[in-house]
Amino acid sequence: MLTRRHFIATSAAMFSTPLASPVFASNWPTEAEKAAFDAQVTPLGYDPATSNPWGVEPRFLPQRVFANDGLIPGDIHVDAVARYLYHIEAGGTAMRYGVAIGRGDLYEPGVYTIKRKVEWPHWTPTASMIEREPDTYAKFIDGQEPGPTNALGSRALYLFVGDRDTYLRIHGTPQPWSIGSRASSGCVRMIMPHINDLYSLVDIGATAHLYSAVDSVVTPGLGELW
């Protein structure tokens, strides 16, 4: 089992889901439609560090933090206990975002490679999701078109093991109130403007480390579980 190991050092603010299978449809949104969608989900006067019309805990707003030595710039680390995603930067820092993770045993810790990125993706529930919760997912058996109510939201990063698509995603969510909880069918959810900021910084081939949701490490004297 991949466990949480104090991979992020002390921090302070330093500036101002569901599982899904890929659907290759012909009706992708135009650039103008994507821009209109982005405007619809982004608060007026958006400031990552302070904008919070979603009412999430302030600690889940994006912050730049100090990262431990030896971490690889560009990698992603998901602390499933504290519900944080860290994107490692050059120079010893990381951007930290609040996330929601999978319910119960649907969350799958491990080491993954990001092999696909999509703006305003389509979404189709897996057969296991439909079997498990038919009242919720059967109506989407033919897929859900891109847009602000789509289950994958505005951006999706697709997690692979080797050449195998795991159907796990890091993605936006139309349910921002779920951030900080265990709510999804396995994916890592982010507030849409937050993943929009992250998306352009993540390269194809980057590694995503998803840590155990039960292993807890307390940083002496800091009182935070990172």
Side-chain angles (χ1 to χ4, degrees):
M1 177 184 294
L2 185 67
T3 58
R4 301 171 73 241
R5 288 290 173 254
H6 196 190
F7 53 90
I8 300 292
T10 180
S11 73
M14 295 178 68
F15 74 99
S16 8
T17 289
L19 297 176
S21 59
V23 175
F24 299 97
S26 60
N27 55 340
W28 290 98
T30 65
E31 292 303 313
E33 288 171 330
K34 289 190 286 188
F37 289 159
D38 282 343
Q40 187 173 337
V41 302
T42 304
L44 188 65
Y46 171 62
D47 179 338
T50 60
S51 294
N52 190 12
W54 316 283
V56 300
E57 291 185 36
R59 73 183 182 95
F60 293 130
L61 298 179
Q63 294 187 39
R64 178 164 284 113
V65 300
F66 294 110
N68 279 352
D69 294 339
L71 298 180
I72 298 174
D75 280 2
I76 285 173
H77 296 259
V78 175
D79 180 340
V81 176
R83 312 290 199 263
Y84 290 141
L85 179 150
Y86 297 89
H87 183 236
I88 307 304
E89 301 173 320
T93 59
M95 284 303 303
R96 189 187 79 188
Y97 305 86
V99 299
I101 64 167
R103 305 186 303 274
D105 61 1
L106 296 177
Y107 176 78
E108 299 182 39
V111 180
Y112 304 93
T113 302
I114 296 168
K115 287 202 169 183
R116 186 172 179 238
K117 299 168 47 176
V118 179
E119 296 184 23
W120 292 104
H122 294 78
W123 171 73
T124 303
T126 62
S128 62
M129 291 174 67
I130 295 172
E131 181 179 1
R132 187 170 59 245
E133 299 179 69
D135 290 345
T136 300
Y137 296 119
K139 61 187 174 183
F140 299 116
I141 192 169
D142 294 323
Q144 187 179 24
E145 295 302 311
T149 62
N150 183 285
L152 295 186
S154 55
R155 305 288 190 276
L157 307 174
Y158 293 66
L159 305 187
F160 284 68
V161 173
D163 292 328
R164 178 177 64 86
D165 186 354
T166 65
Y167 300 107
L168 297 173
R169 315 287 184 240
I170 299 170
H171 65 82
T173 179
Q175 300 177 336
W177 56 86
S178 68
I179 298 302
S181 71
R182 303 197 67 167
S184 79
S185 291
C187 296
V188 176
R189 296 180 178 178
M190 295 179 64
I191 288 172
M192 285 197 251
H194 298 173
I195 196 169
N196 291 357
D197 292 341
L198 172 67
Y199 180 90
S200 63
L201 303 175
V202 176
D203 294 328
I204 296 294
T207 300
H209 304 260
L210 274 56
Y211 293 85
S212 169
V214 296
D215 179 48
S216 177
V217 177
V218 177
T219 305
L222 293 179
E224 292 211 42
L225 303 178
W226 315 347

